Structure formats: structure tokens, C-alpha cells
Amino acid sequence: MSAASIVEEGTVQSTVPDPASAAAGDPGLRVLAVAGVAGVALILSGMLVSGYIPAPGAAWSPERIQEFYAGAATQRRLGIFLMILGTPLFGALVAGMSRVLVLGGGNRGGWANLQTVVGGCGTVLLVLFAMVLAVAAYRPERDAEITQALHDLGWYFAFISAVPFVIQALAIAWVVLRSGVLPRQFGWANLSVAILLLPGAAMLFFHTGPVAYDGLLTFWVPLTDFGLWMLLLAWGMWVSADRDAVAGERR
Amino acid sequence: MSAPVVTRPSATVSEGAGTARRVPGEPGVWLLVLLDMSVFAVLFVAFLLDRRNEPEAFAAGQADLTLVLGLVNTLVLVTSSALVAGVVRRSRAGVGGTERLLLGSLACGVVFGVLKVVEWAHLLDKGVEPDTGTYSMWFFVLTGLHLVHLLIGSLGLVTLLVIGRRDAHREVAADRRALVEVVATYWHMVDLLWLVIFPLVYLGAS
């Protein structure tokens, strides 16, 4: 019997290796979980260093945006560099969660695959967020309107792109609530993440207020929500590591 | 090949001395409701602060609204909540007849959504857009967010209808009853939010 069929059906064999010893020999998911935590730390510290917390205002003039990038340019570039290092690490959480969901037999109907695909899209959007902001910071002496357009584009990659992350959180919640691969509260927390991220997609219509891209619903709530979500996913992978190691031993 | 059996944790709160109170639905949905309502609470406070700073602009913005539409929508949502409460009662009693109640509450949700879109279209025709001013920004943010929540709740009602039809000839399982309570809890939250939004947005400045 293949390991895949074992985990798909959720059957338990009498010859199961000792989980503790198996986990000790194979760090497995825990490496990905740590990578995810490192990703949160790098993204948030990068945003702080580059002056993106609090966010530049959606109603700022092109000249003000240009001044923002021209002032303390090296510090901003250093922060963006940290973000460039951190954003791809979201992929570690996507890969690890896919493994966790499959361990629970959660790929019935393709839900674990959905999590992987939209999580992959989300990872690309996060990387583009950091890269486009890097371009904005690279030549702040250019025409102010071009710098503003690049800044808007970078910000949009991260904050209007709520929908893939919402679908990802919903897919995780669906599998967890149906399979019990993780505690039910984990599934509910993912549903909460999805609902709190969703309003970010409305920032297109506003330049001021809570839904402008520096607002409560499109910046502060999603930023907090997303950071805590990454830690939550890392925790889910950490506590599933023993089961993953056992499945690996069977193989 | 059967799927692994998932047991739902007992959703009870101990009250000591051998008595226990059951949490409607399950604890997770209350976490979601708490977080969601906390965000709305912050928005309500911010709305009130802006209204205090710009009372004339808010009164002028409010004059563009059609109060009757807001009032009808309030009655529609309260009716839908009553129907959903009926679904919960029947589900707990283990008796049938929930489908008509669910269809009724879903119809109320559709009426609410259609009236809201009509109201938005009317405002946009008059040149009132989300970016026109502080009041219009708040109007579209609060009613838009609420409409998204209504759509999510409607999806929950549709789910109950589908499951109800699938399980029409089976005994209703405890998990199904919990799901009814989860959807009802969310729906009542949507209703409650509107009961705050309506006076704030339609009546507050006058």
C-alpha cells in the first residue's frame, strides 16, 4: 500500500513507527513552518524599516510620494530588500499546508489542490509587491507621477489581491472542518481570516477613509490578519509534523 | 472506502453542579462573529467621529437617500431573521417543514440585495459616488460591507436548503442541527448589523 493511499483513506496500521522517533529523524514540515515564521518576520520588519507602516496615503500627491522615496532612500531600499527576502517564504506555508491537508485525506474534491494553486498565485503577488516597490525606490528622481504609479501598482499587488488569499483560507477551512486534520477552531480561524481580508478588494473605489489603501479595512486589518494567519498556518504545520514523519516512515 | 469519522467537540459551557449550557452552533462561529462585529464597531465609532466633524455635509448626504428603501429593507431583514429563527426551532424539535422557511428567508435576502443595488444605482445616477465626499464614502463602505455579509449568509441558507433536500428522508443528525444554528447565528449577526447601520446612515444626521 502506498503512503498516498494510506493518508488518503486515513487508515491506521498496527505497524506504525513510533511518532516521536520518526519525527526526530525527519524535520519535515517543521522546517517549512520555521521558514513561514521567518517570512512574517522579514516582511513586517522590512515594511517597518522602509516606512510602509503606517502606509503612505492613497490621497498623497505625486510629489509627496516622490519625496517619500527620495528621503531616506537607502533605508527604504534596505526595508524593501528584507521584504524581497521574506515574501517568497509564503510559498513554504502553502506547500506545508497542502501536505497537512492531504494527510487528513482532505484532497477529496481537489480542495488541497485548490489551496496549492491559489496559494501559489498569492505567493507570486506578494513577490511582485516587493519587486515593484523596489523599482519605485530605485530611481526616485524620475517623474513624480511615474513613481506614484509604481507605488500604486506595488501596493495593489499586495492589498487589492485579497481574493486569492480569501479562497485559500476558505479551502483550508473547508478541509479542516470536514476532515478534522487539525482542531476545528483552526478551521474557524481560517474562515475569520477570509472574511476580514475580503474588504481589501474594495480599495479600488476609495482614496480616503477606511477602504482607501492606507485605511483600517484595507491596510491595518489585513496586515494584522495576514501576519497572524501566517503564524497560524505555521503552527498547524508544526503540530502536524509528527503525523507527516510517520507517513514518511511508512513509505 | 469510508471517510474518516470526525467527531465534533461538545459545545458546552459548564455552569457547575452538574448543569451545562450548550453553545448554539459551535464556539468557532462565535469567534468569527466577535471578530467581525469588532471591526464594524470600530467603523461605527469612526463614522460618528466624522459626523461630529462634518454635520452639515452628513445631513446633505443623507438628504440624497430614499428613506423608504432603507425602511423596507429593515422590515425585510427582520422578517428574514424571524423565519430563520423558525428554522432553528423546527430543527431543534426534529420536525420538518424548514424548506419553506428557508426559501422565505432567502427571498428576503434577495429582495434586500436588489433594493440595495437599486438604491446605489439611483445615487450614482445623481452623481453621488464613493469618492464624492465623506458621507457618501461611509454610505458605500458600510452598506457595501453589509451587502457582502448578506451574500455570505445567503450562501449559508442555500447550503442548508441543499443539505435539507439531500437528507429529506433521513433522520436529522446532530451535526446538521449544529450547522443550522451556525448559519442562523451568522444571519442574525447580519440582521443586527443592519439594525445599527440603518439609523446611523439614514436617520442619524436629522
Side-chain angles (χ1 to χ4, degrees), chain A residues 8-10 104-105 108 176-180 184-185 188-189 191-193 195-196 198-199 205-211 216-217 221, chain B residues 1-4 6-9 26-29 31-32 35-36 39 42-43 130-131 136-138 140-141 145 148-149 152 182 186:
Chain A
E8 281 290 329
E9 298 309 319
R108 288 184 182 81
V176 170
L177 291 174
R178 287 179 67 88
S179 71
R184 292 186 68 78
Q185 307 306 349
W188 283 106
L191 279 179
S192 305
V193 164
I195 286 182
L196 293 177
L198 195 54
F205 299 102
F206 301 92
H207 290 90
T208 58
V211 192
L216 174 74
L217 292 176
V221 169
Chain B
M1 292 189 226
S2 61
V6 182
T7 53
R8 197 182 295 271
E26 60 177 294
V29 73
L31 166 77
L32 189 151
L35 285 172
D36 219 2
V39 172
V42 173
L43 292 178
D131 254 0
S136 66
M137 179 273 290
W138 276 114
F140 283 103
V141 166
L145 262 184
V148 169
H149 283 71
I152 294 169
V182 163
Y186 190 84

Short mmCIF file of all heavy atoms in Angstrom, two decimals, chain A residues 8-10 104-105 108 176-180 184-185 188-189 191-193 195-196 198-199 205-211 216-217 221, chain B residues 1-4 6-9 26-29 31-32 35-36 39 42-43 130-131 136-138 140-141 145 148-149 152 182 186:
data_model
loop_
_atom_site.label_atom_id
_atom_site.label_comp_id
_atom_site.label_asym_id
_atom_site.label_seq_id
_atom_site.Cartn_x
_atom_site.Cartn_y
_atom_site.Cartn_z
N GLU A 8 -4.66 9.05 2.26
CA GLU A 8 -5.93 9.46 1.66
C GLU A 8 -7.08 8.84 2.41
O GLU A 8 -8.12 9.45 2.59
CB GLU A 8 -5.98 9.01 0.18
CG GLU A 8 -5.21 9.93 -0.75
CD GLU A 8 -5.90 11.28 -0.90
OE1 GLU A 8 -7.13 11.33 -0.81
OE2 GLU A 8 -5.19 12.28 -1.08
N GLU A 9 -6.91 7.60 2.83
CA GLU A 9 -8.03 6.94 3.47
C GLU A 9 -8.05 7.13 4.97
O GLU A 9 -9.01 6.78 5.63
CB GLU A 9 -8.00 5.43 3.15
CG GLU A 9 -8.15 5.12 1.67
CD GLU A 9 -9.35 5.83 1.07
OE1 GLU A 9 -10.40 5.85 1.74
OE2 GLU A 9 -9.24 6.38 -0.03
N GLY A 10 -6.99 7.64 5.52
CA GLY A 10 -6.96 7.89 6.95
C GLY A 10 -6.95 6.62 7.77
O GLY A 10 -7.38 6.59 8.91
N GLY A 104 -4.75 14.63 6.11
CA GLY A 104 -6.08 14.42 6.67
C GLY A 104 -7.06 13.86 5.66
O GLY A 104 -8.26 13.87 5.90
N GLY A 105 -6.58 13.42 4.52
CA GLY A 105 -7.49 12.91 3.50
C GLY A 105 -8.29 14.04 2.88
O GLY A 105 -9.38 13.85 2.35
N ARG A 108 -10.07 15.22 -1.20
CA ARG A 108 -11.30 14.82 -1.90
C ARG A 108 -11.94 16.07 -2.49
O ARG A 108 -12.13 17.06 -1.81
CB ARG A 108 -12.27 14.16 -0.92
CG ARG A 108 -11.83 12.79 -0.49
CD ARG A 108 -12.87 12.14 0.40
NE ARG A 108 -12.40 10.84 0.82
CZ ARG A 108 -11.55 10.64 1.83
NH1 ARG A 108 -11.12 11.67 2.51
NH2 ARG A 108 -11.16 9.43 2.15
N VAL A 176 -10.38 21.41 6.90
CA VAL A 176 -10.19 21.18 8.34
C VAL A 176 -11.53 20.87 9.02
O VAL A 176 -11.63 19.94 9.83
CB VAL A 176 -9.51 22.41 9.00
CG1 VAL A 176 -9.54 22.29 10.52
CG2 VAL A 176 -8.07 22.52 8.51
N LEU A 177 -12.57 21.62 8.66
CA LEU A 177 -13.87 21.39 9.31
C LEU A 177 -14.48 20.06 8.89
O LEU A 177 -15.25 19.47 9.64
CB LEU A 177 -14.83 22.55 8.98
CG LEU A 177 -14.46 23.89 9.63
CD1 LEU A 177 -15.37 25.00 9.13
CD2 LEU A 177 -14.53 23.80 11.15
N ARG A 178 -14.14 19.58 7.71
CA ARG A 178 -14.72 18.30 7.26
C ARG A 178 -13.88 17.09 7.66
O ARG A 178 -14.42 16.02 7.88
CB ARG A 178 -14.89 18.31 5.75
CG ARG A 178 -16.04 19.19 5.30
CD ARG A 178 -16.16 19.19 3.80
NE ARG A 178 -16.56 17.90 3.27
CZ ARG A 178 -17.82 17.53 3.13
NH1 ARG A 178 -18.79 18.34 3.47
NH2 ARG A 178 -18.11 16.35 2.62
N SER A 179 -12.56 17.27 7.74
CA SER A 179 -11.71 16.10 7.96
C SER A 179 -11.23 15.98 9.40
O SER A 179 -10.87 14.89 9.83
CB SER A 179 -10.49 16.15 7.03
OG SER A 179 -9.61 17.17 7.45
N GLY A 180 -11.16 17.10 10.10
CA GLY A 180 -10.63 17.04 11.46
C GLY A 180 -9.13 16.86 11.51
O GLY A 180 -8.58 16.47 12.54
N ARG A 184 -10.94 22.04 15.13
CA ARG A 184 -11.98 22.79 14.42
C ARG A 184 -11.77 24.30 14.52
O ARG A 184 -12.09 25.05 13.61
CB ARG A 184 -13.36 22.43 14.97
CG ARG A 184 -13.79 21.02 14.67
CD ARG A 184 -15.21 20.77 15.11
NE ARG A 184 -16.19 21.50 14.32
CZ ARG A 184 -16.59 21.16 13.11
NH1 ARG A 184 -16.09 20.10 12.52
NH2 ARG A 184 -17.49 21.88 12.46
N GLN A 185 -11.21 24.76 15.66
CA GLN A 185 -11.00 26.21 15.81
C GLN A 185 -10.04 26.72 14.73
O GLN A 185 -10.11 27.89 14.34
CB GLN A 185 -10.44 26.55 17.20
CG GLN A 185 -11.23 26.00 18.37
CD GLN A 185 -12.71 26.37 18.34
OE1 GLN A 185 -13.14 27.20 17.57
NE2 GLN A 185 -13.51 25.74 19.17
N TRP A 188 -12.23 27.47 11.82
CA TRP A 188 -13.00 28.70 12.05
C TRP A 188 -12.10 29.94 11.97
O TRP A 188 -12.52 30.99 11.49
CB TRP A 188 -13.73 28.64 13.39
CG TRP A 188 -14.94 27.78 13.31
CD1 TRP A 188 -15.10 26.52 13.81
CD2 TRP A 188 -16.17 28.08 12.63
NE1 TRP A 188 -16.35 26.04 13.51
CE2 TRP A 188 -17.03 26.97 12.80
CE3 TRP A 188 -16.63 29.18 11.92
CZ2 TRP A 188 -18.31 26.93 12.26
CZ3 TRP A 188 -17.90 29.15 11.38
CH2 TRP A 188 -18.73 28.03 11.56
N ALA A 189 -10.90 29.80 12.48
CA ALA A 189 -9.96 30.93 12.39
C ALA A 189 -9.68 31.27 10.93
O ALA A 189 -9.59 32.44 10.55
CB ALA A 189 -8.67 30.61 13.13
N LEU A 191 -11.76 30.78 8.43
CA LEU A 191 -12.96 31.46 7.92
C LEU A 191 -12.94 32.94 8.33
O LEU A 191 -13.29 33.82 7.54
CB LEU A 191 -14.23 30.80 8.48
CG LEU A 191 -14.70 29.53 7.78
CD1 LEU A 191 -15.95 28.99 8.48
CD2 LEU A 191 -15.02 29.80 6.32
N SER A 192 -12.53 33.19 9.58
CA SER A 192 -12.45 34.58 10.05
C SER A 192 -11.43 35.36 9.24
O SER A 192 -11.67 36.52 8.87
CB SER A 192 -12.08 34.62 11.53
OG SER A 192 -12.98 33.86 12.29
N VAL A 193 -10.29 34.73 8.97
CA VAL A 193 -9.25 35.38 8.15
C VAL A 193 -9.83 35.78 6.80
O VAL A 193 -9.65 36.91 6.32
CB VAL A 193 -8.05 34.42 7.94
CG1 VAL A 193 -7.15 34.90 6.81
CG2 VAL A 193 -7.24 34.30 9.23
N ILE A 195 -12.94 36.37 5.90
CA ILE A 195 -13.92 37.46 5.97
C ILE A 195 -13.24 38.80 6.24
O ILE A 195 -13.63 39.83 5.71
CB ILE A 195 -14.99 37.13 7.03
CG1 ILE A 195 -15.91 36.03 6.45
CG2 ILE A 195 -15.81 38.36 7.41
CD1 ILE A 195 -17.04 35.61 7.34
N LEU A 196 -12.19 38.78 7.05
CA LEU A 196 -11.51 40.03 7.37
C LEU A 196 -10.63 40.53 6.22
O LEU A 196 -10.36 41.73 6.12
CB LEU A 196 -10.67 39.86 8.64
CG LEU A 196 -11.46 39.64 9.94
CD1 LEU A 196 -10.52 39.41 11.12
CD2 LEU A 196 -12.37 40.82 10.24
N LEU A 198 -11.39 40.12 2.95
CA LEU A 198 -12.20 40.41 1.76
C LEU A 198 -12.40 41.90 1.46
O LEU A 198 -12.30 42.32 0.30
CB LEU A 198 -13.55 39.69 1.89
CG LEU A 198 -14.37 39.57 0.61
CD1 LEU A 198 -13.56 38.94 -0.51
CD2 LEU A 198 -15.64 38.77 0.86
N PRO A 199 -12.69 42.76 2.47
CA PRO A 199 -12.96 44.17 2.14
C PRO A 199 -11.81 44.87 1.43
O PRO A 199 -12.03 45.88 0.75
CB PRO A 199 -13.22 44.82 3.51
CG PRO A 199 -13.62 43.70 4.40
CD PRO A 199 -12.86 42.51 3.91
N PHE A 205 -12.20 51.75 -5.15
CA PHE A 205 -13.21 52.80 -5.26
C PHE A 205 -12.94 54.01 -4.36
O PHE A 205 -13.69 54.98 -4.41
CB PHE A 205 -14.59 52.22 -4.88
CG PHE A 205 -15.01 51.09 -5.78
CD1 PHE A 205 -14.90 49.78 -5.37
CD2 PHE A 205 -15.51 51.36 -7.05
CE1 PHE A 205 -15.28 48.74 -6.19
CE2 PHE A 205 -15.89 50.33 -7.89
CZ PHE A 205 -15.78 49.01 -7.46
N PHE A 206 -11.93 53.95 -3.51
CA PHE A 206 -11.78 54.99 -2.49
C PHE A 206 -10.36 55.55 -2.42
O PHE A 206 -9.39 54.80 -2.59
CB PHE A 206 -12.14 54.43 -1.10
CG PHE A 206 -13.55 53.88 -1.03
CD1 PHE A 206 -13.81 52.55 -1.28
CD2 PHE A 206 -14.61 54.73 -0.72
CE1 PHE A 206 -15.10 52.05 -1.23
CE2 PHE A 206 -15.90 54.23 -0.66
CZ PHE A 206 -16.15 52.89 -0.91
N HIS A 207 -10.27 56.85 -2.18
CA HIS A 207 -8.96 57.47 -1.94
C HIS A 207 -8.79 57.93 -0.49
O HIS A 207 -7.70 58.29 -0.08
CB HIS A 207 -8.76 58.68 -2.88
CG HIS A 207 -8.61 58.29 -4.31
ND1 HIS A 207 -9.67 58.15 -5.18
CD2 HIS A 207 -7.50 57.96 -5.04
CE1 HIS A 207 -9.24 57.78 -6.37
NE2 HIS A 207 -7.92 57.65 -6.31
N THR A 208 -9.90 57.98 0.24
CA THR A 208 -9.84 58.34 1.66
C THR A 208 -10.73 57.40 2.46
O THR A 208 -11.55 56.69 1.88
CB THR A 208 -10.33 59.79 1.90
OG1 THR A 208 -11.68 59.89 1.40
CG2 THR A 208 -9.47 60.82 1.20
N GLY A 209 -10.56 57.40 3.78
CA GLY A 209 -11.44 56.62 4.63
C GLY A 209 -10.93 55.20 4.88
O GLY A 209 -9.80 54.86 4.49
N PRO A 210 -11.77 54.37 5.50
CA PRO A 210 -11.30 53.05 5.94
C PRO A 210 -11.01 52.06 4.82
O PRO A 210 -10.39 51.03 5.04
CB PRO A 210 -12.45 52.55 6.82
CG PRO A 210 -13.65 53.30 6.37
CD PRO A 210 -13.16 54.64 5.92
N VAL A 211 -11.49 52.36 3.60
CA VAL A 211 -11.24 51.43 2.49
C VAL A 211 -10.25 52.01 1.48
O VAL A 211 -9.96 51.40 0.46
CB VAL A 211 -12.58 51.01 1.81
CG1 VAL A 211 -12.38 49.83 0.87
CG2 VAL A 211 -13.60 50.60 2.86
N LEU A 216 -8.25 51.49 7.50
CA LEU A 216 -8.41 50.43 8.50
C LEU A 216 -8.69 49.07 7.86
O LEU A 216 -8.07 48.06 8.19
CB LEU A 216 -9.56 50.81 9.45
CG LEU A 216 -9.98 49.75 10.46
CD1 LEU A 216 -8.94 49.64 11.57
CD2 LEU A 216 -11.34 50.06 11.06
N LEU A 217 -9.65 49.06 6.91
CA LEU A 217 -10.10 47.77 6.35
C LEU A 217 -9.20 47.23 5.26
O LEU A 217 -9.28 46.06 4.91
CB LEU A 217 -11.51 47.92 5.78
CG LEU A 217 -12.62 48.17 6.78
CD1 LEU A 217 -13.93 48.40 6.08
CD2 LEU A 217 -12.74 46.98 7.72
N VAL A 221 -6.27 46.16 9.19
CA VAL A 221 -6.89 44.86 9.48
C VAL A 221 -6.24 43.75 8.63
O VAL A 221 -5.83 42.72 9.18
CB VAL A 221 -8.43 44.91 9.27
CG1 VAL A 221 -9.03 43.52 9.29
CG2 VAL A 221 -9.07 45.79 10.34
N MET B 1 -14.90 2.32 0.66
CA MET B 1 -13.94 3.07 1.46
C MET B 1 -14.64 4.27 2.10
O MET B 1 -15.22 5.08 1.41
CB MET B 1 -12.79 3.58 0.59
CG MET B 1 -11.92 2.50 0.07
SD MET B 1 -10.48 3.24 -0.70
CE MET B 1 -10.39 2.33 -2.21
N SER B 2 -14.57 4.33 3.38
CA SER B 2 -15.31 5.41 4.03
C SER B 2 -14.37 6.50 4.50
O SER B 2 -13.20 6.26 4.78
CB SER B 2 -16.09 4.86 5.22
OG SER B 2 -15.18 4.32 6.12
N ALA B 3 -14.90 7.69 4.58
CA ALA B 3 -14.11 8.83 5.05
C ALA B 3 -13.88 8.71 6.55
O ALA B 3 -14.68 8.11 7.25
CB ALA B 3 -14.86 10.13 4.75
N PRO B 4 -12.77 9.24 7.04
CA PRO B 4 -12.55 9.21 8.49
C PRO B 4 -13.69 9.92 9.20
O PRO B 4 -14.16 10.95 8.74
CB PRO B 4 -11.24 9.98 8.65
CG PRO B 4 -10.67 10.16 7.31
CD PRO B 4 -11.73 9.95 6.32
N VAL B 6 -15.25 12.28 11.77
CA VAL B 6 -14.81 13.44 12.52
C VAL B 6 -15.84 13.72 13.60
O VAL B 6 -17.00 13.92 13.32
CB VAL B 6 -14.73 14.69 11.61
CG1 VAL B 6 -14.23 15.87 12.42
CG2 VAL B 6 -13.83 14.41 10.44
N THR B 7 -15.39 13.68 14.82
CA THR B 7 -16.33 13.97 15.90
C THR B 7 -16.23 15.44 16.26
O THR B 7 -15.16 15.97 16.44
CB THR B 7 -16.03 13.12 17.14
OG1 THR B 7 -14.66 13.31 17.47
CG2 THR B 7 -16.33 11.66 16.88
N ARG B 8 -17.39 16.08 16.35
CA ARG B 8 -17.43 17.50 16.71
C ARG B 8 -17.28 17.61 18.22
O ARG B 8 -17.93 16.88 18.95
CB ARG B 8 -18.79 18.06 16.28
CG ARG B 8 -18.86 19.55 16.21
CD ARG B 8 -20.26 19.93 15.84
NE ARG B 8 -20.62 19.49 14.51
CZ ARG B 8 -20.41 20.18 13.41
NH1 ARG B 8 -19.84 21.36 13.49
NH2 ARG B 8 -20.77 19.73 12.25
N PRO B 9 -16.43 18.47 18.72
CA PRO B 9 -16.29 18.60 20.16
C PRO B 9 -17.60 19.08 20.77
O PRO B 9 -18.32 19.86 20.15
CB PRO B 9 -15.21 19.67 20.31
CG PRO B 9 -15.19 20.41 19.02
CD PRO B 9 -15.64 19.46 17.98
N GLU B 26 -21.52 26.19 17.22
CA GLU B 26 -20.28 25.74 17.86
C GLU B 26 -19.44 26.96 18.19
O GLU B 26 -19.67 28.04 17.61
CB GLU B 26 -19.54 24.74 16.98
CG GLU B 26 -19.13 25.22 15.63
CD GLU B 26 -18.32 24.15 14.91
OE1 GLU B 26 -17.22 23.84 15.38
OE2 GLU B 26 -18.79 23.66 13.88
N PRO B 27 -18.49 26.81 19.10
CA PRO B 27 -17.75 28.00 19.57
C PRO B 27 -17.08 28.79 18.44
O PRO B 27 -17.00 30.01 18.49
CB PRO B 27 -16.71 27.42 20.53
CG PRO B 27 -17.32 26.14 21.01
CD PRO B 27 -18.12 25.61 19.87
N GLY B 28 -16.61 28.10 17.42
CA GLY B 28 -15.88 28.77 16.34
C GLY B 28 -16.66 29.89 15.67
O GLY B 28 -16.11 30.94 15.34
N VAL B 29 -17.96 29.66 15.47
CA VAL B 29 -18.74 30.68 14.77
C VAL B 29 -18.86 31.95 15.63
O VAL B 29 -18.95 33.06 15.11
CB VAL B 29 -20.13 30.15 14.36
CG1 VAL B 29 -21.07 30.01 15.55
CG2 VAL B 29 -20.77 31.07 13.33
N LEU B 31 -16.47 33.05 17.58
CA LEU B 31 -15.19 33.74 17.38
C LEU B 31 -15.29 34.63 16.13
O LEU B 31 -14.90 35.81 16.14
CB LEU B 31 -14.06 32.71 17.21
CG LEU B 31 -12.73 33.24 16.67
CD1 LEU B 31 -11.98 33.97 17.77
CD2 LEU B 31 -11.87 32.12 16.11
N LEU B 32 -15.82 34.03 15.07
CA LEU B 32 -15.95 34.76 13.81
C LEU B 32 -16.87 35.97 13.98
O LEU B 32 -16.55 37.09 13.55
CB LEU B 32 -16.52 33.79 12.76
CG LEU B 32 -16.55 34.24 11.31
CD1 LEU B 32 -16.42 33.03 10.40
CD2 LEU B 32 -17.82 34.97 10.97
N LEU B 35 -15.11 38.75 16.03
CA LEU B 35 -14.11 39.50 15.26
C LEU B 35 -14.80 40.44 14.27
O LEU B 35 -14.43 41.62 14.14
CB LEU B 35 -13.21 38.52 14.49
CG LEU B 35 -12.16 37.79 15.31
CD1 LEU B 35 -11.47 36.73 14.47
CD2 LEU B 35 -11.11 38.77 15.82
N ASP B 36 -15.79 39.91 13.59
CA ASP B 36 -16.48 40.68 12.57
C ASP B 36 -17.18 41.90 13.18
O ASP B 36 -17.08 43.02 12.68
CB ASP B 36 -17.52 39.77 11.91
CG ASP B 36 -17.60 40.02 10.42
OD1 ASP B 36 -16.84 40.85 9.92
OD2 ASP B 36 -18.44 39.37 9.77
N VAL B 39 -14.80 44.71 14.21
CA VAL B 39 -14.39 45.58 13.10
C VAL B 39 -15.50 46.58 12.80
O VAL B 39 -15.25 47.78 12.63
CB VAL B 39 -14.05 44.73 11.85
CG1 VAL B 39 -13.82 45.64 10.64
CG2 VAL B 39 -12.81 43.89 12.10
N VAL B 42 -15.62 49.40 15.35
CA VAL B 42 -14.62 50.45 15.11
C VAL B 42 -15.10 51.38 13.99
O VAL B 42 -14.97 52.61 14.08
CB VAL B 42 -13.26 49.80 14.74
CG1 VAL B 42 -12.26 50.87 14.34
CG2 VAL B 42 -12.72 49.00 15.92
N LEU B 43 -15.67 50.79 12.95
CA LEU B 43 -16.18 51.61 11.84
C LEU B 43 -17.31 52.53 12.30
O LEU B 43 -17.39 53.70 11.90
CB LEU B 43 -16.69 50.71 10.70
CG LEU B 43 -15.63 49.91 9.96
CD1 LEU B 43 -16.27 49.03 8.89
CD2 LEU B 43 -14.61 50.83 9.31
N PRO B 130 -18.70 56.85 -4.51
CA PRO B 130 -17.98 56.55 -3.26
C PRO B 130 -16.96 57.62 -2.87
O PRO B 130 -16.71 57.83 -1.70
CB PRO B 130 -17.29 55.22 -3.57
CG PRO B 130 -18.14 54.58 -4.61
CD PRO B 130 -18.71 55.69 -5.42
N ASP B 131 -16.37 58.28 -3.86
CA ASP B 131 -15.34 59.27 -3.59
C ASP B 131 -15.87 60.70 -3.55
O ASP B 131 -15.08 61.64 -3.47
CB ASP B 131 -14.23 59.17 -4.66
CG ASP B 131 -12.98 58.52 -4.08
OD1 ASP B 131 -13.01 58.17 -2.89
OD2 ASP B 131 -11.99 58.38 -4.82
N SER B 136 -20.77 60.11 1.54
CA SER B 136 -21.00 59.08 0.51
C SER B 136 -19.99 57.95 0.67
O SER B 136 -20.31 56.77 0.45
CB SER B 136 -20.93 59.68 -0.88
OG SER B 136 -19.63 60.12 -1.17
N MET B 137 -18.75 58.29 1.06
CA MET B 137 -17.75 57.24 1.30
C MET B 137 -18.27 56.27 2.36
O MET B 137 -18.27 55.06 2.17
CB MET B 137 -16.43 57.90 1.73
CG MET B 137 -15.29 56.96 2.03
SD MET B 137 -15.28 56.36 3.73
CE MET B 137 -14.84 57.83 4.64
N TRP B 138 -18.74 56.84 3.47
CA TRP B 138 -19.23 55.98 4.56
C TRP B 138 -20.46 55.18 4.13
O TRP B 138 -20.62 54.01 4.49
CB TRP B 138 -19.56 56.82 5.79
CG TRP B 138 -18.37 57.10 6.64
CD1 TRP B 138 -17.79 58.31 6.87
CD2 TRP B 138 -17.57 56.15 7.36
NE1 TRP B 138 -16.69 58.18 7.68
CE2 TRP B 138 -16.54 56.86 8.00
CE3 TRP B 138 -17.63 54.77 7.51
CZ2 TRP B 138 -15.58 56.24 8.79
CZ3 TRP B 138 -16.69 54.13 8.29
CH2 TRP B 138 -15.68 54.88 8.92
N PHE B 140 -21.30 54.07 1.14
CA PHE B 140 -20.94 52.92 0.30
C PHE B 140 -20.12 51.89 1.07
O PHE B 140 -20.26 50.68 0.85
CB PHE B 140 -20.21 53.39 -0.96
CG PHE B 140 -21.13 53.98 -2.00
CD1 PHE B 140 -21.22 55.35 -2.19
CD2 PHE B 140 -21.92 53.16 -2.79
CE1 PHE B 140 -22.08 55.90 -3.13
CE2 PHE B 140 -22.79 53.69 -3.74
CZ PHE B 140 -22.87 55.06 -3.91
N VAL B 141 -19.25 52.35 1.96
CA VAL B 141 -18.43 51.39 2.73
C VAL B 141 -19.33 50.54 3.64
O VAL B 141 -19.27 49.29 3.62
CB VAL B 141 -17.38 52.13 3.59
CG1 VAL B 141 -16.78 51.20 4.63
CG2 VAL B 141 -16.27 52.69 2.71
N LEU B 145 -20.11 46.73 2.67
CA LEU B 145 -19.62 45.66 3.55
C LEU B 145 -20.77 44.80 4.05
O LEU B 145 -20.67 43.57 4.10
CB LEU B 145 -18.94 46.28 4.77
CG LEU B 145 -17.44 46.41 4.78
CD1 LEU B 145 -17.00 46.97 6.13
CD2 LEU B 145 -16.77 45.08 4.52
N VAL B 148 -21.96 42.43 1.38
CA VAL B 148 -21.07 41.26 1.24
C VAL B 148 -21.41 40.22 2.31
O VAL B 148 -21.49 39.02 2.04
CB VAL B 148 -19.59 41.69 1.34
CG1 VAL B 148 -18.68 40.48 1.46
CG2 VAL B 148 -19.20 42.53 0.14
N HIS B 149 -21.64 40.70 3.54
CA HIS B 149 -22.01 39.78 4.62
C HIS B 149 -23.35 39.10 4.34
O HIS B 149 -23.54 37.92 4.62
CB HIS B 149 -22.06 40.52 5.96
CG HIS B 149 -20.71 40.79 6.52
ND1 HIS B 149 -19.84 41.70 5.98
CD2 HIS B 149 -20.06 40.24 7.58
CE1 HIS B 149 -18.71 41.71 6.68
NE2 HIS B 149 -18.82 40.83 7.66
N ILE B 152 -22.79 36.31 1.90
CA ILE B 152 -22.20 35.14 2.56
C ILE B 152 -23.28 34.39 3.34
O ILE B 152 -23.38 33.15 3.27
CB ILE B 152 -21.05 35.57 3.50
CG1 ILE B 152 -19.89 36.16 2.68
CG2 ILE B 152 -20.55 34.39 4.33
CD1 ILE B 152 -18.83 36.86 3.52
N VAL B 182 -25.33 27.41 13.22
CA VAL B 182 -24.20 28.23 12.77
C VAL B 182 -24.67 29.26 11.75
O VAL B 182 -24.38 30.46 11.86
CB VAL B 182 -23.09 27.33 12.16
CG1 VAL B 182 -22.12 28.15 11.32
CG2 VAL B 182 -22.34 26.59 13.24
N TYR B 186 -24.98 33.48 12.14
CA TYR B 186 -24.39 34.43 11.20
C TYR B 186 -25.47 35.35 10.62
O TYR B 186 -25.28 36.57 10.52
CB TYR B 186 -23.65 33.69 10.08
CG TYR B 186 -22.83 34.60 9.21
CD1 TYR B 186 -21.54 34.97 9.58
CD2 TYR B 186 -23.35 35.13 8.03
CE1 TYR B 186 -20.80 35.84 8.80
CE2 TYR B 186 -22.62 35.99 7.25
CZ TYR B 186 -21.33 36.34 7.64
OH TYR B 186 -20.60 37.21 6.85
#
